[in-house]
């Protein structure tokens, strides 16, 4: 059971806009920034969004992040086949002895 | 180019030990906080440990506290994870990752994001 809650799956057709949600609590998302990672099949995770809505250089602006209260969302517009991957949200957690927490991951399928 | 390369994984019996290494290149290793993150087969990501640039600040996940030790050698541009008393549930791909640092003209601060990841090394704990 992950500390951050994500839907296990999401899907969309090429060109569509999809969103992936991430729900937490006051000790993590509610008081810290959210980061998103993309993991293509058989590869290491890659930083996609940091500090809620910032894109590292090289990440297309089709990817965007937002946060409100104890929830966050990743939006992917103009969906492409190469976006098919697992997506994870993460945040620092201020609870005793808990530091970085991840969501369980969302498998995005491009139909 | 900026790169992290893990090594040291393998098959070990329950109760055994293993030492993972992560070789960094393409950036000033001593300026960056580092972390270990693992992923059990078919499962999600789990943060394991975190070390500051000087090694003076260290955190562990409760699941590994008292059994795993993170360390670094800035002269060798290397990060380590000593894993003792290994259990079946420690079976996973172990990734080393760099903590993203943002610098202005006057100072730098560490975010809580991991911006560079190694390819991972597989650890299997089984009799």
């Amino acid at each position: 059971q992950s500390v951050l809650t994500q839907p296990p799956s999401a899907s969309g057709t090429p060109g569509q806009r999809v969103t992936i949600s991430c729900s937490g609590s006051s000790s993590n998302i509610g008081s810290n920034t959210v980061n998103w990672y993309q993991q293509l099949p058989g590869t290491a995770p890659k930083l996609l969004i940091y500090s809620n809505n910032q894109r590292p250089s090289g990440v297309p602006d089709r990817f965007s992040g937002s946060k409100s209260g104890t929830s966050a969302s990743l939006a992917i517009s103009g969906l492409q086949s190469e976006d098919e991957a697992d997506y994870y949200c993460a945040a620092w957690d201020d609870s005793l002895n808990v530091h970085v927490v991840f969501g369980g991951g969302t498998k995005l399928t491009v139909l | 180019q900026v790169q992290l390369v893990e090594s040291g994984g393998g098959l070990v019996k329950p109760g055994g030990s293993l030492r993972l290494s992560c070789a960094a290149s393409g950036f000033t290793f001593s300026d960056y906080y580092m972390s270990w993150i693992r992923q059990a087969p078919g499962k999600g990501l789990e943060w394991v440990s975190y070390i500051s640039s000087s090694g003076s600040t260290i955190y562990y996940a409760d699941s590994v506290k008292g059994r795993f030790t993170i360390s670094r050698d800035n002269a060798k541009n290397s990060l380590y994870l000593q894993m003792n008393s290994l259990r079946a549930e420690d079976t996973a791909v172990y990734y080393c990752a760099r903590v993203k640092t943002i610098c202005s003209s006057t100072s730098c601060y560490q975010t809580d994001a991991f911006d560079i990841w190694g390819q991972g090394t597989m650890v299997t704990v089984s009799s």
Side-chain angles (χ1 to χ4, degrees), chain A residues 32-35 37 39 43-47 49-51 56 86 88 91-92 96-104, chain B residues 35 37 39 43-47 50 59-62 65 95 100 102 109 111-120:
Chain A
N32 296 291
T33 59
V34 178
N35 308 303
Y37 300 89
Q39 187 174 32
T43 70
K46 167 192 168 184
L47 180 62
I49 297 287
Y50 69 96
S51 298
D86 293 325
Y88 295 90
W92 190 270
L96 185 65
N97 294 330
V98 178
H99 300 289
V100 178
V101 290
F102 285 93
Chain B
S35 204
I37 296 149
Q39 185 171 34
K43 302 296 185 183
L45 300 170
E46 179 189 14
W47 172 79
Y50 170 105
Y59 299 127
Y60 297 101
D62 279 352
K65 196 175 296 182
Y95 296 102
K100 183 172 178 61
I102 296 178
Y109 72 91
T111 70
D112 51 13
F114 306 113
D115 65 346
I116 303 295
W117 296 62
Q119 85 289 352

Side-chain angles (χ1 to χ4, degrees), chain B residues 56-85:
Chain B
S56 60
T57 299
I58 287 173
Y59 299 127
Y60 297 101
D62 279 352
S63 57
V64 307
K65 196 175 296 182
R67 301 186 299 122
F68 289 12
T69 302
I70 191 173
S71 63
R72 64 191 296 160
D73 186 335
N74 287 341
K76 294 183 177 179
N77 294 331
S78 293
L79 176 73
Y80 306 102
L81 186 68
Q82 177 66 44
M83 305 185 295
N84 299 330
S85 303

Side-chain angles (χ1 to χ4, degrees), chain A residues 12-87:
Chain A
T13 57
Q16 247 188 342
R17 182 179 187 270
V18 297
T19 62
I20 297 171
S21 62
C22 176
S23 177
S25 67
S26 58
S27 66
N28 42 66
I29 293 179
S31 51
N32 296 291
T33 59
V34 178
N35 308 303
W36 289 90
Y37 300 89
Q38 177 194 59
Q39 187 174 32
L40 297 170
T43 70
K46 167 192 168 184
L47 180 62
L48 201 61
I49 297 287
Y50 69 96
S51 298
N52 301 329
N53 54 18
Q54 302 299 301
R55 284 185 308 276
S57 63
V59 174
D61 59 7
R62 302 187 296 105
F63 295 90
S64 61
S66 63
K67 185 186 103 166
S68 177
T70 59
S71 294
S73 290
L74 172 71
I76 309 171
S77 60
L79 197 62
Q80 298 179 4
S81 58
E82 55 261 40
D83 298 334
E84 188 160 292
D86 293 325
Y87 293 85

